[in-house]
Amino acid sequence: MATTPEREPKDAITVQNIAPISGSDDADSLNENSPGFTYHDKIDMKRMGKKQELRRNFRTFSSIAFTTCVMGTWEILLTANTQGLIAGGSAGLFWSLVWAYAGQAFVILSLAEMASIAPTAGGQYHWVSEFAPRKYQRLLSYTSGWLSTLAWQSIVAVDSFLIGEVILGMIVVNDQSFVAQRWQATLLIIATVLGLAAFNFFAGKRLALAENLFVAFHLLAFLPVIVTLSVMTPEKQTARAVFTQFTDNGAGWSSLGLTTMVGQVSCIFVVLGSDSAAHMSEEISDAGLVVPRSMVWSFFLNIPMTFGLLITYLFCIGDISDAVSSPTGYPFIYVFQTATGSAAGTTGLTVVILLLLIVITISSYASTSRQLFAFARDNGMPFSKWLARVHPRRQVPGNSILVTCLFTVAMSLINIGSTVAFNAVLSLGVVALMATYAISIGCILLKRVRGEPFPPARWSLGSAGVFVNIIAMVYIVWAFFWSFWPNSFHPTLQTFNWAVVLFVGVMGIACVEYFLHARKHYQGPVVKAEGRS
């Protein structure tokens, strides 16, 4: 990967065919002397036809901290490993994570280059608009925008749901007669997302500073968790059980190989989220260089902690069947109980994980609201002008923050009637995000294969671009295929993977909406750079 020098002479950069500057009409635009708004940022924003409306508070360290916290890989792995344990056991979970990291690395490298070419909060749908064949430019960009919006909105809802459920799990630890009800989880989800919305709106100007504290917590909390498990767990598993024993703990598929393939979805979910930095591009100083660096560094910096946690966790898990059937609803809480042998000790460790989940969700919420703001700014959503407004004093997309909150509240209300419907919407997040990766990387790969020019990147894959893009596409297709499979061979309404139904439904709605309305109103954020008209 080639990275151009930090400083380039101004006369080395030319801007041709600059598009009309777009943005919300009623928000106060920041002037070109705003802190953090570098020369390269000005050039990028002008080339993309965007107006600087958000304050660029993030620098290199805080940007890496933000992306690291959104990914939160070791925390998410700890709380979302049930499917992997059921379908594959310890060895299945371990090797699935190895494969997920290996494949996702090529995806991240591909996305990082595109983020350098077009550092905008729009992310994937903007890149598709820039790189797609002109005939399909608007349709693919519009579809990517809807999928990206749905994926990130679902991620916030998933994280909020996890927080609510973990709280109920702690109550079960301290009162074994307690039986959690769906309405209780719903109230906790609503309370969680209201607090997150308030933080993102009122503390938006201090988010960069907060991320520095968040990543410190993310790093420091890791050691107490693994040390406690390593020292206090009375009986450890053997290395053979952890690394070579693939087991079926209730999935019921015909072979262990197929069982492990189905169970890898847990690990696919864990390694997602590096593109969150792209959606914060317009709040990052020198974004064309800092954003791709943040995506790559955060991805690789999380690897040692993720595998350190996983190996420790698997050595201490004990009987997997008992862990996955724990009345708390979470195997990790069962492992904490086994290690500490007390309700107080289990609660203390779980509180640490709960606080980390809140930190992760605050960061995810910020990225989600910026993606929604950007898509609305390009007239891709209903009530776009209202959604694209930036609060003139706080300089955050307040209306997009509000709608993100309302989306999660709506999903939590569905949970009162049926966990099936709620979980079905949430499962769509993974496949929708993978679809946006496939479309955007596929478009830039096509341009490379055809030998067509595209704007230069300050962080570039260079001659390795075709190879990296192809490997990324192979992994995406693989992950996309397995993400639709149900967890068990004989699925019930509760265990069926409804993502396939919802994905087809959402794609159908997006296509109908495009041909009936958006085809005439949505132009897409086409960048009029050199070589494009």
Side-chain angles (χ1 to χ4, degrees):
M1 276 66 72
T3 304
T4 59
E6 287 271 6
R7 297 182 179 179
E8 300 174 4
K10 292 189 177 183
D11 59 3
I13 299 177
T14 59
V15 183
Q16 301 183 10
N17 302 324
I18 295 174
I21 295 176
S22 64
S24 55
D25 297 331
D26 57 346
D28 295 334
S29 178
L30 300 178
N31 62 61
E32 293 193 348
N33 296 319
S34 300
F37 193 27
T38 69
Y39 171 75
H40 288 293
D41 294 327
K42 298 172 188 177
I43 292 297
D44 288 333
M45 293 296 281
K46 287 180 179 179
R47 186 184 68 82
M48 295 184 296
K50 303 302 179 187
K51 182 171 63 175
Q52 183 65 41
E53 300 178 88
L54 305 174
R55 184 180 297 272
R56 291 185 183 263
N57 289 330
F58 284 82
R59 303 297 186 267
T60 300
F61 183 82
S62 54
S63 179
I64 294 174
F66 172 85
T67 317
T68 301
C69 288
V70 171
M71 293 190 70
T73 49
W74 73 266
E75 300 95 326
I76 297 299
L77 177 63
L78 193 62
T79 56
N81 58 71
T82 303
Q83 181 173 349
L85 289 174
I86 292 175
S90 295
L93 190 64
F94 176 82
W95 291 109
S96 292
L97 186 64
V98 171
W99 168 242
Y101 259 117
Q104 188 69 10
F106 292 91
V107 176
I108 296 305
L109 293 174
S110 300
L111 297 178
E113 182 183 46
M114 289 186 283
S116 181
I117 295 172
T120 169
Q124 288 93 313
Y125 84 86
H126 184 107
W127 304 334
V128 169
S129 177
E130 184 158 352
F131 304 130
R134 295 189 61 183
K135 182 178 180 181
Y136 306 105
Q137 191 176 77
R138 287 192 296 170
L139 175 60
L140 290 177
S141 174
Y142 185 77
T143 302
S144 297
W146 271 93
L147 287 172
S148 184
T149 299
L150 182 61
W152 278 101
Q153 293 290 332
S154 297
I155 286 173
V156 171
V158 168
D159 291 344
S160 300
F161 179 79
L162 284 174
I163 292 170
E165 289 290 308
V166 168
I167 292 174
L168 291 178
M170 286 195 298
I171 297 175
V172 172
V173 168
N174 291 276
D175 182 3
Q176 296 184 3
S177 64
F178 176 77
V179 179
Q181 304 295 322
R182 288 197 296 269
W183 65 267
Q184 294 168 330
T186 294
L187 290 179
L188 289 170
I189 294 169
I190 293 174
T192 296
V193 77
L194 288 175
L196 298 173
F199 184 95
N200 273 274
F201 181 75
F202 292 106
K205 286 186 177 182
R206 301 289 180 266
L207 184 60
L209 176 61
E211 293 297 339
N212 295 333
L213 301 176
F214 291 167
V215 78
F217 185 32
H218 167 77
L219 297 173
L220 293 175
F222 171 74
L223 285 177
V225 172
I226 65 168
V227 168
T228 300
L229 292 180
S230 300
V231 173
M232 298 188 67
T233 301
E235 185 177 350
K236 306 291 194 306
Q237 302 300 301
T238 64
R240 181 174 179 272
V242 171
F243 298 113
T244 63
Q245 284 189 352
F246 296 84
T247 57
D248 185 338
N249 299 289
W253 294 98
S254 57
S255 67
L256 280 177
L258 181 58
T259 300
T260 303
M261 294 300 100
V262 174
Q264 68 183 314
V265 177
S266 293
C267 295
I268 293 173
F269 177 72
V270 166
V271 298
L272 296 178
S274 285
D275 57 303
S276 58
H279 302 305
M280 300 297 291
S281 292
E282 294 170 38
E283 296 170 67
I284 296 174
S285 180
D286 203 16
L289 196 57
V290 173
V291 169
R293 284 178 172 176
S294 300
M295 294 171 68
V296 173
W297 275 102
S298 61
F299 180 81
F300 288 103
L301 285 174
N302 266 317
I303 291 178
M305 289 188 296
T306 306
F307 278 100
L309 181 282
L310 178 61
I311 292 172
T312 303
Y313 178 71
L314 294 179
F315 269 102
C316 300
I317 197 169
D319 190 294
I320 293 178
S321 298
D322 290 342
V324 298
S325 60
S326 169
T328 65
Y330 287 94
F332 82 91
I333 298 181
Y334 168 85
V335 174
F336 287 169
Q337 285 180 303
T338 303
T340 63
S342 69
T346 302
T347 302
L349 287 175
T350 307
V351 165
V352 172
I353 303 303
L354 177 64
L355 293 176
L356 287 166
L357 286 175
I358 293 172
V359 165
I360 291 169
T361 313
I362 287 173
S363 304
S364 299
Y365 199 116
S367 183
T368 300
S369 61
R370 272 55 167 188
Q371 191 282 330
L372 178 60
F373 150 77
F375 195 41
R377 181 178 58 186
D378 286 314
N379 202 32
M381 297 293 295
F383 310 106
S384 286
K385 187 175 181 180
W386 180 78
L387 279 171
R389 287 178 182 171
V390 175
H391 193 280
R393 184 164 61 89
R394 300 192 180 278
Q395 293 171 338
V396 295
N399 293 338
S400 291
I401 289 174
L402 174 62
V403 169
T404 300
C405 175
L406 294 177
F407 180 89
T408 298
V409 169
M411 293 302 98
S412 69
L413 294 177
I414 294 175
N415 182 61
I416 295 178
S418 172
T419 56
V420 175
F422 181 68
N423 292 331
V425 174
L426 301 184
S427 65
L428 183 60
V430 174
V431 292
L433 199 57
M434 296 302 291
T436 66
Y437 294 165
I439 297 172
S440 56
I441 296 174
C443 287
I444 196 171
L445 175 60
L446 182 61
K447 287 186 75 69
R448 278 197 158 102
V449 172
R450 290 179 172 179
E452 298 175 359
F454 48 84
R458 298 172 63 207
W459 193 98
S460 173
L461 293 174
S463 58
V466 172
F467 172 76
V468 171
N469 293 160
I470 290 174
I471 299 299
M473 287 297 295
V474 170
Y475 171 74
I476 290 169
V477 172
W478 171 274
F480 190 79
F481 173 76
W482 290 107
S483 295
F484 287 117
W485 285 57
N487 194 39
S488 59
F489 181 67
H490 297 289
T492 64
L493 287 176
Q494 285 71 31
T495 60
F496 184 74
N497 189 346
W498 293 91
V500 61
V501 178
L502 286 175
F503 182 81
V504 173
V506 170
M507 290 293 291
I509 293 172
C511 289
V512 170
E513 170 66 15
Y514 173 79
F515 284 107
L516 293 181
H517 176 74
R519 183 164 54 95
K520 299 179 181 178
H521 297 88
Y522 177 77
Q523 297 301 317
V526 180
V527 179
K528 296 185 177 180
E530 184 177 3
R532 299 287 291 272
S533 59

